[in-house]
Amino acid sequence: MKVFLLLLSVAALSCGQGPPAEPPGGQRCSGRNFEGRRCCTPEQPCGLGEGDCDGPLDGGVNDGHAGCQGELVCGSNNCKKFGLYFHEKDDCCDEPSSIPAVRPPPVIVPGAALEPPAGQRCRGRNYDGRRCCTPEQPCGEGEGDCDGAGDGGVNDGDNGCRGALVCGSNNCAQFGAYYHAKDDCCEKPSGASGPRQQTKGWGQWTQWGPCSASCGPGWKVRTRRCVGSRCGSAGFHSEDLQERICIAQDCNDVFN
């Protein structure tokens, strides 16, 4: 019955009726506004249009596409097309064709550093994981990832930032090109989840992969897998992913 209702919702979208304002009856995972983040897990994967899943497009520790049933993939900030009741940052299980085959190159903000400055404690999910900034260890300006109100669901508000700083939303690129696109950083006010998985329980990091671009800016990636029987269970993810920006040779150098 649940699958039938979900298919009806998708069919309504294709007929131009627009996404529904309320979850269909019987839908198990309706996003962080209802069940919280990462309702879709490898143990209880979701169907088409359900979320929130925790896929590789989020970077850092994630479930890959194992939180979705069959050949479905975990999208990125794509749930609104399935229902207006979803949070704007919810990720939903979607058709494989929804993810571009070729990843676009990184957009580098002029003046943003490619590498973190020496001594910076919290450098985003490509280095230290998500929610490095906590109420117990708040961050300074330009540090992340913090877990603010802009993420919806259970969060730290602005308590992960020092003093009068606030936790932004997908705003870290202005402070450094080494951040993930979804990292949230502590910043000055405008106009002026449970315990994290610890280091133990992870396998070795793979070698950094090749640069995704043959010339100009691109991405290189490395991963590590969870080790042990609790992998994929509540509070324990299956995979950790980190990215670095790489600058390939000048495209105009035709002699090399």
Side-chain angles (χ1 to χ4, degrees), residues 50-213:
E50 289 187 295
D52 174 67
C53 53
D54 192 6
L57 298 180
D58 276 350
V61 176
N62 64 83
D63 297 320
H65 298 300
C68 298
Q69 298 171 4
E71 299 298 318
L72 296 176
V73 297
C74 182
S76 177
N77 298 353
N78 65 326
C79 287
K80 283 287 190 181
K81 71 179 184 180
F82 296 109
L84 299 178
Y85 50 87
F86 282 109
H87 188 274
E88 61 182 7
K89 289 193 175 183
D90 280 331
D91 303 331
C92 276
C93 294
D94 207 340
E95 298 290 349
S97 60
S98 65
I99 296 181
V102 179
R103 186 179 181 187
V107 177
I108 301 176
V109 177
L114 295 181
E115 298 291 337
Q120 182 170 316
R121 184 178 66 86
C122 291
R123 304 161 293 179
R125 66 194 71 189
N126 286 331
Y127 288 83
D128 313 297
R130 307 180 198 175
R131 193 173 174 261
C132 178
C133 308
T134 64
E136 296 75 26
Q137 290 186 303
C139 286
E141 184 179 12
E143 290 187 295
D145 173 68
C146 53
D147 188 16
D151 281 347
V154 177
N155 62 79
D156 297 322
D158 296 320
N159 295 322
C161 300
R162 298 174 188 162
L165 297 176
V166 297
C167 181
S169 179
N170 299 354
N171 66 325
C172 287
Q174 63 180 310
F175 299 109
Y178 51 87
Y179 281 110
H180 188 276
K182 289 194 174 184
D183 280 332
D184 303 331
C185 278
C186 294
E187 64 180 2
K188 295 176 182 177
S190 59
S193 88
R196 292 178 296 160
Q197 190 165 347
Q198 302 301 311
T199 302
K200 62 181 181 180
W202 289 109
Q204 295 295 316
W205 285 105
T206 64
Q207 295 295 317
W208 288 104
C211 191
S212 63

